[in-house]
Amino acid sequence: MAGMATPTTTRPVRAHLLLQADPGTSSALTAYLQGVSGIVEATGTTGPFDAVAEVSVDDEAQLERVLAATKSAPGLARLCLCRCH
C-alpha cells in the first residue's frame, strides 16, 4: 500500500564477555554475572579467562547498562567485549 511505512524488525544486540578475576574470586564473579539482567549465561572457564558471559539485549543502551553492571562485579580484574555480528 502506498504511503504506509514498512515495519522494521530489529535484531537483538549480542555479545560475549571474556573476564579475568582476581585470585580466589572466580566463583563470586560468575555468581554475580548470573544475576545481571541481559546476561543470558555466565560460566567459569579454564585458560586465560576465568569466566565467559553471553549477552543478548534489545539495544546499545541496554548493552551499556550490562557493561556498567559488569564493571562493578566483585573481583573483576579484566573485561574483554566481543560483539557478535
Side-chain angles (χ1 to χ4, degrees):
M1 295 180 168
M4 293 193 69
T6 303
T8 59
T9 56
T10 58
R11 293 178 23 194
V13 177
R14 295 183 54 237
H16 294 279
L17 305 178
L18 308 176
L19 305 109
Q20 288 180 332
D22 293 328
T25 64
S26 296
S27 294
L29 174 62
T30 302
Y32 176 89
L33 294 170
Q34 291 170 344
V36 174
S37 179
I39 293 182
V40 295
E41 185 173 357
T43 188
T45 62
T46 58
F49 293 96
D50 299 303
V52 175
E54 180 182 349
V55 178
S56 182
V57 293
D58 292 332
D59 56 39
E60 291 293 324
Q62 288 179 346
L63 177 60
E64 289 302 320
R65 286 192 286 277
V66 170
L67 291 174
T70 301
K71 289 176 183 176
S72 66
L76 178 66
R78 181 175 171 220
L79 167 66
C80 180
L81 169 67
C82 301
R83 292 174 181 263
C84 299
H85 296 277

